[in-house]
Amino acid sequence: MGPKNSTAPVHDRTKAGDSASPAGRLWDSASAYDSSVTSLADFHKWFDQQRTESHYAVERIPLSALSGWHSAPESGDLVHESGGFFSVSGLRVRTDFGRLRQWTQPVIVQPEIGLLGLLVKEFDGIPHFLMQAKMEPGNLNLVQLSPTVQATRSNFTGVHRGRGVSYLEYFIGPRRGTVLADSLQSEQGWWFLHKGNRNMVVETAEEVPLRPGFRWLTLRQLGELLREDHLVNMDSRTVLATLPLGPPGPRSAGGAGGDALRHSLMRSHTPGEASLHSFQEVLTLLTEARSRYRLEQRQVPLREVLDEGRWQRTDSGIARPDGRYFSVVGVDVHARRREVARWSQPLIAPVAGLSGLLVKRVNGVLHVLLHTRVEAGTLRVCEFAPTVQCSPAPHGQDASAHRSPFLEHLLSAPADRVRYDTELSEEGGRFLHAATRYLIVEAGDEVAVTEPPDHCWLTLRQVAALLRHGNYLNVQARTLVACANLALTARN
Amino acid sequence: MGPKNSTAPVHDRTKAGDSASPAGRLWDSASAYDSSVTSLADFHKWFDQQRTESHYAVERIPLSALSGWHSAPESGDLVHESGGFFSVSGLRVRTDFGRLRQWTQPVIVQPEIGLLGLLVKEFDGIPHFLMQAKMEPGNLNLVQLSPTVQATRSNFTGVHRGRGVSYLEYFIGPRRGTVLADSLQSEQGWWFLHKGNRNMVVETAEEVPLRPGFRWLTLRQLGELLREDHLVNMDSRTVLATLPLGPPGPRSAGGAGGDALRHSLMRSHTPGEASLHSFQEVLTLLTEARSRYRLEQRQVPLREVLDEGRWQRTDSGIARPDGRYFSVVGVDVHARRREVARWSQPLIAPVAGLSGLLVKRVNGVLHVLLHTRVEAGTLRVCEFAPTVQCSPAPHGQDASAHRSPFLEHLLSAPADRVRYDTELSEEGGRFLHAATRYLIVEAGDEVAVTEPPDHCWLTLRQVAALLRHGNYLNVQARTLVACANLALTARN
């Protein structure tokens, strides 16, 4: 543990700017591999230690053995005795998108907005981000890297009857910093009904005490860590996607220095650079899809789903006999050694997924190909999804999705076109070992700039303008945007 | 009927700009009282004629006598035999906003996006808007002024088995003009569950044949008409609210010419003019309210609502014995004289409402005071509502609403501070004689610039930036924004 990473306050040498427009400062952080606050080598040593020293063990148990949870007598919904947290209920869907027109499924209902907060502070003129090593029962490797604050509304209101949430004071109540981003973003539409989280980035100039389990990292370092399997968690990725990177500043824009891909990424964030579509055209494409497709959602008792027979409840959970999509299972979480919290809860255990993004330099400006996609629990019919999303089942077995014309292209791309290929986890507080392979492939002339229906090439500046608001990009697309911004050129 | 208002094509003398940024041209339309296409005197003569010649009569009938509608056997929901249109179902709400924490109520469910389209075309260099004299069964005066296209999704897909919708080709399918605005906006949260409409403004340079029942008007003329009771319908108001007015052009900015209020309105639309809050602060205020308040909505069988006893079904409809909020009634619509469509349908008949907006010049820049407000059927917890909204019951009897600290201020304002006071109708296709008194009052020093919780002073430029996206302003707030932009200074 380096001297600056003690729990004592770290002195700030540079004052954080008060402006809401970071004017390239964040790009400086995206270029800063070396940090005087935390080196990557030190980070790895510390993080391995956090994983090793985690005192938790997670065990699969029958749903009927969950402590504090029961099936509500009338509906059969899986609910917590407090009435809080979340419930596993049923969802009846009718749609004219995709092959399957009508179905029922289990779904997580949690009609409250959680908070994902990321604290920023300049050290030596470079913005650093306060990250947390956090255990979640569904995580592969148990401990992953989460944002500064990751809290359900229950965390604030006492259903957890719990310990305070570290650094919450920077995000709730009277402002103690400058809000750089603040929007409600969606979660997985196949597993949640209308769920949203508040994604906040707050910059402070105050002295911030460094508590155990936290480290300050630059965006460049986070870009490197995004290339490691199952390390940067979903909550970190979505809040990083909402960062208002803005146009690169003089230090980052580079000239001869960067390679062509990095240069096209910078131009993709620069105002005045030519985009294939106007922003109004982008908005219209989504609005049109939302009014063209029909999505009828109705929460129904879980019993109704089970009565139809395609989903069955056994000792090991709620699942389909054909093994598709996901199952609902129970876990017991307990400490291996010392006296800490013990609890049990249901989790969604999905089959592995694949999400892929095609990117392309168009006149030297990087564009990303997004797809308007209807999902069972989406709040407003559809959002922009990655170019290809096989979710929850891999390789287009997804009953409700179109088979993407770009799937083969992504999977058969030559190695020198694969710009990013890492397996990441979805949120470990709700999903058990939910692994998604995230791919970014750079397309050449073989992929046209004219899109098939429901697809659109956007610049990253246009994507950032959408992400200032909620419910434009789904959570898989937001992961890929964070990877494109921070990890695409990290090793080049 | 003037010679230019025949059904023959009107020749366009000026080419419509292709730019999505109208750069003040729309403000020229907002100054153009006289139009060579339609004078207001001619409009009134024509519109009176449309009302007189309307061949429809609307009669209240029992719900059980509705043709094509019945109560679904299990749920008791009021549904159409086609499975289309809409249904009257039940809604169970739990919230911590307002005095009432839990209730059930009837609600309209229509899980599809309707289209409100407004066609724009320049004549003599001035943008004109194609408006329609349209009968809706719930309208006071039966015929009101609607946008060019006002259509449910059923209109396109054949549930109406019907006649084509005039001018639909400008809004659907291959582009025949420039899209100036295109967003999904909400409808009344007390009567609809999650309902949204697509609000579109399209400018064309083509020759447009003028069909019977349509007239081209300037924004200034629409501003005048907005001052008449029950003339400009709700659909026109909401789509006019989304107009990207932008900063005023050289012709409109005026200097010495305009009065101080008009001048402050123009400055409120001008980039660089000081606003009380940054745009990020405005976004954060709403995001914070959305995550602070809890809104749990569950569609339930209408039978469940009736079983609880607070709503009762009689021959005259579904209503509360205490007469509060609204009732669900049936109407039969038929022609007085000739062979035209005849149909019957349910309508919501609400008690009268009041929506009021406080505006204030802050350093010469007009600001409007909005209030984040939870409504039963809102898609995402809350939206910005007017300063005061007593809806559906007048004068704060609304069970779920806070009594606004500004209600007395609005109702007791001296006459010279009342800038707008007109009774307008809510959508006549779903609501029967739903009259709302819309008020705009200019506040002086007696109202502070520091707001009580959940309130925010915004410039009209900030409001316009929000309205580029969906679900930021509720429908009453959008009406008042249209009135502020177009009617506030129309007679000065």
Side-chain angles (χ1 to χ4, degrees), chain A residues 357-385:
Chain A
L357 186 68
L358 274 184
V359 303
K360 185 180 164 75
R361 282 175 254 173
V362 183
N363 300 321
V365 178
L366 197 70
H367 283 66
V368 301
L369 186 60
L370 298 181
H371 173 216
T372 58
R373 194 164 187 281
V374 176
E375 301 182 324
T378 304
L379 184 67
R380 190 54 114 187
V381 188
C382 57
E383 299 184 3
F384 280 117

Side-chain angles (χ1 to χ4, degrees), chain B residues 82-157:
Chain B
S82 67
F85 299 108
F86 60 93
S87 63
V88 180
S89 186
L91 178 64
R92 178 177 299 280
V93 178
R94 283 197 187 84
T95 182
D96 52 9
F97 180 93
R99 292 194 296 267
L100 201 59
R101 296 304 168 105
Q102 186 169 338
W103 69 91
T104 60
Q105 64 167 81
V107 76
I108 302 179
V109 176
Q110 191 175 8
E112 58 170 41
I113 310 287
L115 172 68
L116 309 176
L118 188 53
L119 193 60
V120 191
K121 186 177 158 61
E122 280 196 5
F123 298 93
D124 295 327
I126 302 290
H128 283 64
F129 295 78
L130 189 56
M131 307 299 294
Q132 179 184 13
K134 189 170 169 64
M135 192 286 296
E136 295 279 7
N139 277 347
L140 281 152
N141 304 325
L142 272 187
V143 174
Q144 294 192 12
L145 199 60
S146 91
T148 319
V149 166
Q150 178 181 322
T152 61
R153 193 168 177 274
S154 322
N155 284 137
F156 323 144
T157 54

Side-chain angles (χ1 to χ4, degrees), chain B residues 171-215:
Chain B
F171 301 94
I172 299 281
R175 286 283 154 260
R176 298 180 61 178
T178 306
V179 178
L180 300 185
D182 191 0
S183 59
L184 295 186
Q185 301 291 345
S186 59
E187 294 203 39
Q188 284 81 0
W190 285 107
W191 307 325
F192 278 115
L193 178 60
H194 297 176
K195 179 78 171 73
N197 272 328
R198 184 176 185 185
N199 284 233
M200 259 188 121
V201 184
V202 172
E203 179 162 14
T204 185
E206 289 184 15
E207 293 206 352
V208 180
L210 188 70
R211 304 212 175 102
F214 290 84
R215 282 296 178 274

Side-chain angles (χ1 to χ4, degrees), chain A residues 14-79:
Chain A
T14 326
K15 265 206 166 176
D18 260 349
S19 163
S21 154
R25 289 185 308 115
L26 294 179
W27 283 113
D28 295 343
S29 182
S31 312
Y33 185 93
D34 291 317
S35 160
S36 59
V37 183
T38 318
S39 73
L40 262 192
D42 281 350
F43 169 83
H44 277 296
K45 209 175 351 173
W46 167 80
F47 194 70
D48 287 348
Q49 204 177 3
Q50 296 287 316
R51 279 187 166 163
T52 317
E53 291 178 358
S54 168
H55 299 297
Y56 289 94
V58 176
E59 217 180 322
R60 288 272 300 261
I61 57 171
L63 292 176
S64 55
L66 290 172
S67 144
W69 294 81
H70 66 277
S71 294
E74 275 189 51
S75 64
D77 290 358
L78 214 50
V79 296

Side-chain angles (χ1 to χ4, degrees), chain A residues 96 112-113 153 175 182 194 196 198 284 287-288 290-292 294 296 298-299 380 469 472, chain B residues 96 111-113 153 175 182 194 196 198 284 287-288 290 292 294 296 298-299 380 469 472:
Chain A
D96 53 9
E112 59 170 39
I113 310 288
R153 192 169 177 276
R175 285 285 152 262
D182 190 1
H194 296 175
R198 184 175 186 188
T284 284
T287 307
E288 202 150 73
R290 284 177 163 171
S291 59
R292 190 170 63 248
R294 188 182 169 96
E296 208 180 317
R298 188 156 177 170
Q299 189 186 338
R380 190 54 114 187
H469 308 278
Y472 276 119
Chain B
D96 52 9
E112 58 170 41
I113 310 287
R153 193 168 177 274
R175 286 283 154 260
D182 191 0
H194 297 176
R198 184 176 185 185
T284 284
T287 306
E288 202 151 73
R290 284 178 163 170
R292 190 170 62 250
R294 186 181 169 96
E296 205 179 319
R298 186 155 179 172
Q299 189 186 337
R380 190 55 113 186
H469 308 278
Y472 276 119

Side-chain angles (χ1 to χ4, degrees), chain A residues 338-357:
Chain A
R338 39 175 192 161
E339 202 62 45
V340 288
R342 172 175 188 149
W343 76 93
S344 62
Q345 67 169 92
L347 288 172
I348 298 267
V351 298
L354 169 77
S355 284
L357 186 68

